[in-house]
Amino acid sequence: MSYCWRHFGFPIAGLAESAASMQRTVRRTFPGSVVIQDANAVDAAALQPPSSSDSVSNSEHATSLPVRPPVKIASVYGGIPCQPIAPSGAARGIDDPRIGDTTDALPRATRALDANSADAENHANIVTINGGAVLAKLTANFGPDYELVDVSYVNVALYYAPEERNRVALRWEHRRMRRALGPCPPLFILRHPQLCIRDVLLPLAE
């Protein structure tokens, strides 16, 4: 999704990634972005480059480096963890001890940054598991200023991958967006006729 935002001209202010090996890849791919270790620690202060709080000093004087001005965040995107949701992770849903990673980090970051919107993708089970309780908790964590405006399904069977991999795209918007622009139009997924998903579960579909 970060590639998509960048393709359409949006600068990527920061990315959250805990794995050191992936952090190196992210830094090479998005050299102007701040890499944040913990997705639960995303806020305006975390988007400051590390050098902004350092000081250059010697025995005679000390000079503080300038701090990056606050940036307005248009949207926060989360590839939120699917382990508590997907069948391969036992699909325990709300009873999974890891469920907080799925339902808490994205809303917390969105509120902390006062973003206009938030987008997420996950296993399609997130909509129905526990009678919708996981999605309800995720949406409630955004607070009253945000509303769930779109749920779009992606049937990966159309792209030669097993339906166990079906995905759902979710979008929340700050209510000021509705006041300024009207209701969010239905989102859609562009379908490329040559797209073919290579999936490790493909033999299971045969």
mmCIF file of all heavy atoms in Angstrom, residues 153-189:
data_model
loop_
_atom_site.group_PDB
_atom_site.id
_atom_site.type_symbol
_atom_site.label_atom_id
_atom_site.label_comp_id
_atom_site.label_asym_id
_atom_site.label_seq_id
_atom_site.Cartn_x
_atom_site.Cartn_y
_atom_site.Cartn_z
ATOM 1 N N TYR A 153 -14.705 -6.587 -0.515
ATOM 2 C CA TYR A 153 -14.153 -7.937 -0.541
ATOM 3 C C TYR A 153 -13.310 -8.148 -1.796
ATOM 4 O O TYR A 153 -13.596 -7.606 -2.860
ATOM 5 C CB TYR A 153 -15.274 -8.979 -0.517
ATOM 6 C CG TYR A 153 -15.962 -9.103 0.820
ATOM 7 C CD1 TYR A 153 -17.078 -8.341 1.126
ATOM 8 C CD2 TYR A 153 -15.473 -9.980 1.790
ATOM 9 C CE1 TYR A 153 -17.706 -8.447 2.347
ATOM 10 C CE2 TYR A 153 -16.099 -10.094 3.017
ATOM 11 C CZ TYR A 153 -17.212 -9.327 3.295
ATOM 12 O OH TYR A 153 -17.835 -9.429 4.506
ATOM 13 N N VAL A 154 -12.281 -8.950 -1.652
ATOM 14 C CA VAL A 154 -11.467 -9.381 -2.788
ATOM 15 C C VAL A 154 -11.523 -10.902 -2.829
ATOM 16 O O VAL A 154 -11.027 -11.568 -1.918
ATOM 17 C CB VAL A 154 -10.004 -8.912 -2.660
ATOM 18 C CG1 VAL A 154 -9.205 -9.355 -3.880
ATOM 19 C CG2 VAL A 154 -9.933 -7.401 -2.496
ATOM 20 N N ASN A 155 -12.167 -11.443 -3.853
ATOM 21 C CA ASN A 155 -12.239 -12.900 -4.030
ATOM 22 C C ASN A 155 -11.002 -13.346 -4.806
ATOM 23 O O ASN A 155 -10.942 -13.214 -6.027
ATOM 24 C CB ASN A 155 -13.516 -13.279 -4.772
ATOM 25 C CG ASN A 155 -13.677 -14.788 -4.894
ATOM 26 O OD1 ASN A 155 -12.805 -15.543 -4.466
ATOM 27 N ND2 ASN A 155 -14.783 -15.221 -5.463
ATOM 28 N N VAL A 156 -10.009 -13.861 -4.094
ATOM 29 C CA VAL A 156 -8.746 -14.195 -4.751
ATOM 30 C C VAL A 156 -8.876 -15.401 -5.675
ATOM 31 O O VAL A 156 -7.978 -15.669 -6.475
ATOM 32 C CB VAL A 156 -7.631 -14.443 -3.715
ATOM 33 C CG1 VAL A 156 -7.371 -13.198 -2.897
ATOM 34 C CG2 VAL A 156 -7.966 -15.618 -2.813
ATOM 35 N N ALA A 157 -9.993 -16.123 -5.597
ATOM 36 C CA ALA A 157 -10.196 -17.231 -6.524
ATOM 37 C C ALA A 157 -10.237 -16.727 -7.968
ATOM 38 O O ALA A 157 -9.933 -17.477 -8.905
ATOM 39 C CB ALA A 157 -11.486 -17.974 -6.187
ATOM 40 N N LEU A 158 -10.604 -15.465 -8.131
ATOM 41 C CA LEU A 158 -10.606 -14.887 -9.477
ATOM 42 C C LEU A 158 -9.194 -14.798 -10.040
ATOM 43 O O LEU A 158 -9.007 -14.632 -11.238
ATOM 44 C CB LEU A 158 -11.236 -13.491 -9.444
ATOM 45 C CG LEU A 158 -12.711 -13.418 -9.025
ATOM 46 C CD1 LEU A 158 -13.151 -11.964 -8.937
ATOM 47 C CD2 LEU A 158 -13.583 -14.191 -9.995
ATOM 48 N N TYR A 159 -8.206 -14.870 -9.153
ATOM 49 C CA TYR A 159 -6.810 -14.740 -9.570
ATOM 50 C C TYR A 159 -6.040 -16.034 -9.332
ATOM 51 O O TYR A 159 -4.843 -16.019 -9.100
ATOM 52 C CB TYR A 159 -6.158 -13.572 -8.824
ATOM 53 C CG TYR A 159 -6.969 -12.303 -8.939
ATOM 54 C CD1 TYR A 159 -7.586 -11.748 -7.835
ATOM 55 C CD2 TYR A 159 -7.151 -11.683 -10.182
ATOM 56 C CE1 TYR A 159 -8.357 -10.598 -7.951
ATOM 57 C CE2 TYR A 159 -7.910 -10.535 -10.295
ATOM 58 C CZ TYR A 159 -8.511 -10.001 -9.182
ATOM 59 O OH TYR A 159 -9.274 -8.873 -9.302
ATOM 60 N N TYR A 160 -6.771 -17.148 -9.335
ATOM 61 C CA TYR A 160 -6.158 -18.482 -9.280
ATOM 62 C C TYR A 160 -5.478 -18.776 -7.951
ATOM 63 O O TYR A 160 -4.513 -19.536 -7.899
ATOM 64 C CB TYR A 160 -5.168 -18.660 -10.441
ATOM 65 C CG TYR A 160 -5.750 -18.263 -11.768
ATOM 66 C CD1 TYR A 160 -5.395 -17.074 -12.381
ATOM 67 C CD2 TYR A 160 -6.733 -19.051 -12.387
ATOM 68 C CE1 TYR A 160 -5.964 -16.681 -13.590
ATOM 69 C CE2 TYR A 160 -7.310 -18.668 -13.597
ATOM 70 C CZ TYR A 160 -6.918 -17.483 -14.181
ATOM 71 O OH TYR A 160 -7.492 -17.094 -15.371
ATOM 72 N N ALA A 161 -5.971 -18.202 -6.887
ATOM 73 C CA ALA A 161 -5.505 -18.535 -5.544
ATOM 74 C C ALA A 161 -6.690 -19.097 -4.762
ATOM 75 O O ALA A 161 -7.849 -18.817 -5.083
ATOM 76 C CB ALA A 161 -4.940 -17.302 -4.846
ATOM 77 N N PRO A 162 -6.437 -19.929 -3.759
ATOM 78 C CA PRO A 162 -7.536 -20.551 -3.008
ATOM 79 C C PRO A 162 -8.325 -19.531 -2.197
ATOM 80 O O PRO A 162 -7.778 -18.531 -1.726
ATOM 81 C CB PRO A 162 -6.811 -21.549 -2.086
ATOM 82 C CG PRO A 162 -5.436 -20.996 -1.943
ATOM 83 C CD PRO A 162 -5.119 -20.357 -3.263
ATOM 84 N N GLU A 163 -9.614 -19.791 -2.016
ATOM 85 C CA GLU A 163 -10.475 -18.847 -1.326
ATOM 86 C C GLU A 163 -10.105 -18.689 0.144
ATOM 87 O O GLU A 163 -10.570 -17.750 0.799
ATOM 88 C CB GLU A 163 -11.932 -19.276 -1.465
ATOM 89 C CG GLU A 163 -12.458 -19.143 -2.887
ATOM 90 C CD GLU A 163 -13.955 -19.380 -2.989
ATOM 91 O OE1 GLU A 163 -14.560 -19.708 -1.953
ATOM 92 O OE2 GLU A 163 -14.503 -19.226 -4.091
ATOM 93 N N GLU A 164 -9.270 -19.599 0.675
ATOM 94 C CA GLU A 164 -8.782 -19.433 2.043
ATOM 95 C C GLU A 164 -8.028 -18.121 2.203
ATOM 96 O O GLU A 164 -7.832 -17.629 3.310
ATOM 97 C CB GLU A 164 -7.856 -20.598 2.429
ATOM 98 C CG GLU A 164 -8.569 -21.915 2.661
ATOM 99 C CD GLU A 164 -8.773 -22.693 1.371
ATOM 100 O OE1 GLU A 164 -8.546 -22.120 0.286
ATOM 101 O OE2 GLU A 164 -9.150 -23.872 1.461
ATOM 102 N N ARG A 165 -7.605 -17.551 1.072
ATOM 103 C CA ARG A 165 -6.835 -16.312 1.112
ATOM 104 C C ARG A 165 -7.699 -15.079 0.836
ATOM 105 O O ARG A 165 -7.170 -13.989 0.648
ATOM 106 C CB ARG A 165 -5.710 -16.362 0.066
ATOM 107 C CG ARG A 165 -4.632 -17.376 0.363
ATOM 108 C CD ARG A 165 -3.859 -17.014 1.610
ATOM 109 N NE ARG A 165 -2.586 -17.701 1.665
ATOM 110 C CZ ARG A 165 -1.777 -17.688 2.712
ATOM 111 N NH1 ARG A 165 -2.118 -17.040 3.792
ATOM 112 N NH2 ARG A 165 -0.629 -18.345 2.691
ATOM 113 N N ASN A 166 -9.009 -15.211 0.792
ATOM 114 C CA ASN A 166 -9.868 -14.066 0.507
ATOM 115 C C ASN A 166 -9.588 -12.925 1.481
ATOM 116 O O ASN A 166 -9.394 -13.134 2.673
ATOM 117 C CB ASN A 166 -11.343 -14.460 0.594
ATOM 118 C CG ASN A 166 -11.825 -15.065 -0.704
ATOM 119 O OD1 ASN A 166 -11.060 -15.256 -1.636
ATOM 120 N ND2 ASN A 166 -13.100 -15.400 -0.753
ATOM 121 N N ARG A 167 -9.575 -11.721 0.944
ATOM 122 C CA ARG A 167 -9.223 -10.539 1.723
ATOM 123 C C ARG A 167 -10.390 -9.560 1.779
ATOM 124 O O ARG A 167 -11.340 -9.653 1.004
ATOM 125 C CB ARG A 167 -8.010 -9.815 1.097
ATOM 126 C CG ARG A 167 -6.853 -10.684 0.729
ATOM 127 C CD ARG A 167 -6.263 -11.400 1.923
ATOM 128 N NE ARG A 167 -5.590 -10.505 2.855
ATOM 129 C CZ ARG A 167 -5.089 -10.918 4.018
ATOM 130 N NH1 ARG A 167 -5.206 -12.174 4.391
ATOM 131 N NH2 ARG A 167 -4.470 -10.062 4.814
ATOM 132 N N VAL A 168 -10.284 -8.611 2.690
ATOM 133 C CA VAL A 168 -11.256 -7.542 2.771
ATOM 134 C C VAL A 168 -10.499 -6.241 3.001
ATOM 135 O O VAL A 168 -9.514 -6.193 3.738
ATOM 136 C CB VAL A 168 -12.283 -7.794 3.901
ATOM 137 C CG1 VAL A 168 -11.621 -7.808 5.263
ATOM 138 C CG2 VAL A 168 -13.398 -6.770 3.865
ATOM 139 N N ALA A 169 -10.931 -5.197 2.297
ATOM 140 C CA ALA A 169 -10.361 -3.857 2.476
ATOM 141 C C ALA A 169 -11.348 -3.024 3.285
ATOM 142 O O ALA A 169 -12.553 -3.034 3.011
ATOM 143 C CB ALA A 169 -10.086 -3.203 1.116
ATOM 144 N N LEU A 170 -10.840 -2.323 4.285
ATOM 145 C CA LEU A 170 -11.672 -1.544 5.193
ATOM 146 C C LEU A 170 -11.217 -0.095 5.186
ATOM 147 O O LEU A 170 -10.019 0.182 5.076
ATOM 148 C CB LEU A 170 -11.565 -2.088 6.618
ATOM 149 C CG LEU A 170 -11.855 -3.580 6.807
ATOM 150 C CD1 LEU A 170 -11.304 -4.054 8.137
ATOM 151 C CD2 LEU A 170 -13.352 -3.822 6.725
ATOM 152 N N ARG A 171 -12.162 0.821 5.323
ATOM 153 C CA ARG A 171 -11.803 2.245 5.359
ATOM 154 C C ARG A 171 -12.648 2.969 6.403
ATOM 155 O O ARG A 171 -13.874 2.835 6.441
ATOM 156 C CB ARG A 171 -12.013 2.900 3.992
ATOM 157 C CG ARG A 171 -11.624 4.384 3.963
ATOM 158 C CD ARG A 171 -11.713 4.951 2.564
ATOM 159 N NE ARG A 171 -11.367 6.360 2.511
ATOM 160 C CZ ARG A 171 -10.127 6.846 2.434
ATOM 161 N NH1 ARG A 171 -9.111 6.015 2.399
ATOM 162 N NH2 ARG A 171 -9.892 8.134 2.375
ATOM 163 N N TRP A 172 -11.957 3.721 7.248
ATOM 164 C CA TRP A 172 -12.599 4.610 8.220
ATOM 165 C C TRP A 172 -12.261 6.040 7.846
ATOM 166 O O TRP A 172 -11.154 6.333 7.389
ATOM 167 C CB TRP A 172 -12.094 4.332 9.634
ATOM 168 C CG TRP A 172 -12.440 2.981 10.169
ATOM 169 C CD1 TRP A 172 -13.494 2.649 10.972
ATOM 170 C CD2 TRP A 172 -11.718 1.759 9.956
ATOM 171 N NE1 TRP A 172 -13.473 1.318 11.263
ATOM 172 C CE2 TRP A 172 -12.386 0.740 10.648
ATOM 173 C CE3 TRP A 172 -10.563 1.433 9.234
ATOM 174 C CZ2 TRP A 172 -11.951 -0.576 10.650
ATOM 175 C CZ3 TRP A 172 -10.117 0.124 9.227
ATOM 176 C CH2 TRP A 172 -10.813 -0.866 9.941
ATOM 177 N N GLU A 173 -13.206 6.954 8.053
ATOM 178 C CA GLU A 173 -12.957 8.366 7.771
ATOM 179 C C GLU A 173 -13.374 9.212 8.962
ATOM 180 O O GLU A 173 -14.352 8.901 9.658
ATOM 181 C CB GLU A 173 -13.727 8.830 6.526
ATOM 182 C CG GLU A 173 -13.155 8.313 5.222
ATOM 183 C CD GLU A 173 -13.856 8.910 4.014
ATOM 184 O OE1 GLU A 173 -14.872 9.625 4.199
ATOM 185 O OE2 GLU A 173 -13.392 8.662 2.895
ATOM 186 N N HIS A 174 -12.617 10.297 9.171
ATOM 187 C CA HIS A 174 -13.021 11.282 10.166
ATOM 188 C C HIS A 174 -14.324 11.927 9.687
ATOM 189 O O HIS A 174 -14.520 12.165 8.501
ATOM 190 C CB HIS A 174 -11.931 12.344 10.323
ATOM 191 C CG HIS A 174 -12.065 13.149 11.571
ATOM 192 N ND1 HIS A 174 -13.032 14.126 11.730
ATOM 193 C CD2 HIS A 174 -11.361 13.130 12.737
ATOM 194 C CE1 HIS A 174 -12.920 14.673 12.917
ATOM 195 N NE2 HIS A 174 -11.912 14.088 13.561
ATOM 196 N N ARG A 175 -15.204 12.223 10.626
ATOM 197 C CA ARG A 175 -16.514 12.758 10.239
ATOM 198 C C ARG A 175 -16.415 14.112 9.547
ATOM 199 O O ARG A 175 -17.337 14.517 8.842
ATOM 200 C CB ARG A 175 -17.423 12.834 11.467
ATOM 201 C CG ARG A 175 -17.765 11.454 12.017
ATOM 202 C CD ARG A 175 -18.759 11.516 13.168
ATOM 203 N NE ARG A 175 -18.932 10.188 13.746
ATOM 204 C CZ ARG A 175 -19.769 9.258 13.273
ATOM 205 N NH1 ARG A 175 -20.512 9.527 12.203
ATOM 206 N NH2 ARG A 175 -19.866 8.086 13.849
ATOM 207 N N ARG A 176 -15.283 14.801 9.714
ATOM 208 C CA ARG A 176 -15.120 16.063 8.988
ATOM 209 C C ARG A 176 -15.034 15.827 7.487
ATOM 210 O O ARG A 176 -15.323 16.728 6.698
ATOM 211 C CB ARG A 176 -13.884 16.798 9.480
ATOM 212 C CG ARG A 176 -12.561 16.069 9.267
ATOM 213 C CD ARG A 176 -11.362 16.915 9.667
ATOM 214 N NE ARG A 176 -10.143 16.141 9.671
ATOM 215 C CZ ARG A 176 -9.482 15.770 10.770
ATOM 216 N NH1 ARG A 176 -9.941 16.114 11.961
ATOM 217 N NH2 ARG A 176 -8.379 15.051 10.689
ATOM 218 N N MET A 177 -14.636 14.613 7.082
ATOM 219 C CA MET A 177 -14.577 14.288 5.657
ATOM 220 C C MET A 177 -15.975 14.270 5.052
ATOM 221 O O MET A 177 -16.208 14.787 3.960
ATOM 222 C CB MET A 177 -13.891 12.938 5.450
ATOM 223 C CG MET A 177 -12.440 12.892 5.891
ATOM 224 S SD MET A 177 -11.364 13.782 4.754
ATOM 225 C CE MET A 177 -11.316 12.622 3.388
ATOM 226 N N ARG A 178 -16.920 13.663 5.777
ATOM 227 C CA ARG A 178 -18.302 13.639 5.287
ATOM 228 C C ARG A 178 -18.865 15.055 5.210
ATOM 229 O O ARG A 178 -19.561 15.411 4.255
ATOM 230 C CB ARG A 178 -19.163 12.759 6.191
ATOM 231 C CG ARG A 178 -20.646 12.722 5.797
ATOM 232 C CD ARG A 178 -21.462 11.921 6.794
ATOM 233 N NE ARG A 178 -21.181 10.506 6.720
ATOM 234 C CZ ARG A 178 -21.824 9.673 5.914
ATOM 235 N NH1 ARG A 178 -22.783 10.126 5.123
ATOM 236 N NH2 ARG A 178 -21.525 8.402 5.903
ATOM 237 N N ARG A 179 -18.558 15.865 6.229
ATOM 238 C CA ARG A 179 -19.071 17.239 6.240
ATOM 239 C C ARG A 179 -18.494 18.054 5.087
ATOM 240 O O ARG A 179 -19.178 18.902 4.506
ATOM 241 C CB ARG A 179 -18.739 17.906 7.580
ATOM 242 C CG ARG A 179 -19.477 17.318 8.763
ATOM 243 C CD ARG A 179 -19.346 18.215 9.985
ATOM 244 N NE ARG A 179 -17.975 18.289 10.476
ATOM 245 C CZ ARG A 179 -17.490 17.496 11.420
ATOM 246 N NH1 ARG A 179 -18.258 16.558 11.955
ATOM 247 N NH2 ARG A 179 -16.239 17.639 11.826
ATOM 248 N N ALA A 180 -17.226 17.767 4.725
ATOM 249 C CA ALA A 180 -16.577 18.548 3.673
ATOM 250 C C ALA A 180 -16.870 18.020 2.275
ATOM 251 O O ALA A 180 -17.024 18.790 1.331
ATOM 252 C CB ALA A 180 -15.065 18.570 3.900
ATOM 253 N N LEU A 181 -16.966 16.682 2.126
ATOM 254 C CA LEU A 181 -17.030 16.082 0.794
ATOM 255 C C LEU A 181 -18.288 15.273 0.531
ATOM 256 O O LEU A 181 -18.520 14.857 -0.594
ATOM 257 C CB LEU A 181 -15.808 15.169 0.578
ATOM 258 C CG LEU A 181 -14.437 15.827 0.735
ATOM 259 C CD1 LEU A 181 -13.339 14.772 0.628
ATOM 260 C CD2 LEU A 181 -14.239 16.918 -0.300
ATOM 261 N N GLY A 182 -19.080 15.021 1.560
ATOM 262 C CA GLY A 182 -20.229 14.150 1.387
ATOM 263 C C GLY A 182 -19.845 12.710 1.673
ATOM 264 O O GLY A 182 -18.703 12.407 2.023
ATOM 265 N N PRO A 183 -20.785 11.768 1.503
ATOM 266 C CA PRO A 183 -20.511 10.366 1.805
ATOM 267 C C PRO A 183 -19.385 9.801 0.940
ATOM 268 O O PRO A 183 -19.214 10.192 -0.214
ATOM 269 C CB PRO A 183 -21.845 9.668 1.509
ATOM 270 C CG PRO A 183 -22.865 10.754 1.533
ATOM 271 C CD PRO A 183 -22.165 11.992 1.071
ATOM 272 N N CYS A 184 -18.628 8.870 1.519
ATOM 273 C CA CYS A 184 -17.572 8.194 0.766
ATOM 274 C C CYS A 184 -18.188 7.328 -0.318
ATOM 275 O O CYS A 184 -19.062 6.507 -0.037
ATOM 276 C CB CYS A 184 -16.734 7.326 1.704
ATOM 277 S SG CYS A 184 -15.474 6.327 0.871
ATOM 278 N N PRO A 185 -17.787 7.500 -1.577
ATOM 279 C CA PRO A 185 -18.307 6.614 -2.629
ATOM 280 C C PRO A 185 -17.770 5.208 -2.435
ATOM 281 O O PRO A 185 -16.728 5.017 -1.805
ATOM 282 C CB PRO A 185 -17.751 7.240 -3.918
ATOM 283 C CG PRO A 185 -16.514 7.944 -3.477
ATOM 284 C CD PRO A 185 -16.793 8.454 -2.087
ATOM 285 N N PRO A 186 -18.465 4.197 -2.965
ATOM 286 C CA PRO A 186 -17.963 2.827 -2.827
ATOM 287 C C PRO A 186 -16.558 2.698 -3.414
ATOM 288 O O PRO A 186 -16.277 3.206 -4.501
ATOM 289 C CB PRO A 186 -18.982 2.002 -3.627
ATOM 290 C CG PRO A 186 -20.211 2.846 -3.649
ATOM 291 C CD PRO A 186 -19.724 4.266 -3.685
ATOM 292 N N LEU A 187 -15.683 2.045 -2.677
ATOM 293 C CA LEU A 187 -14.353 1.783 -3.197
ATOM 294 C C LEU A 187 -14.422 0.616 -4.168
ATOM 295 O O LEU A 187 -15.378 -0.154 -4.185
ATOM 296 C CB LEU A 187 -13.387 1.463 -2.048
ATOM 297 C CG LEU A 187 -13.322 2.495 -0.922
ATOM 298 C CD1 LEU A 187 -12.318 2.052 0.129
ATOM 299 C CD2 LEU A 187 -12.952 3.861 -1.458
ATOM 300 N N PHE A 188 -13.400 0.466 -4.964
ATOM 301 C CA PHE A 188 -13.397 -0.664 -5.889
ATOM 302 C C PHE A 188 -11.969 -1.148 -6.059
ATOM 303 O O PHE A 188 -11.009 -0.416 -5.860
ATOM 304 C CB PHE A 188 -13.999 -0.290 -7.247
ATOM 305 C CG PHE A 188 -13.220 0.769 -7.991
ATOM 306 C CD1 PHE A 188 -12.232 0.427 -8.905
ATOM 307 C CD2 PHE A 188 -13.463 2.120 -7.759
ATOM 308 C CE1 PHE A 188 -11.511 1.405 -9.582
ATOM 309 C CE2 PHE A 188 -12.732 3.096 -8.429
ATOM 310 C CZ PHE A 188 -11.772 2.745 -9.344
ATOM 311 N N ILE A 189 -11.831 -2.410 -6.420
ATOM 312 C CA ILE A 189 -10.539 -3.029 -6.658
ATOM 313 C C ILE A 189 -10.351 -3.186 -8.164
ATOM 314 O O ILE A 189 -11.180 -3.788 -8.842
ATOM 315 C CB ILE A 189 -10.439 -4.418 -5.995
ATOM 316 C CG1 ILE A 189 -10.789 -4.325 -4.503
ATOM 317 C CG2 ILE A 189 -9.059 -5.016 -6.180
ATOM 318 C CD1 ILE A 189 -9.833 -3.487 -3.697
#
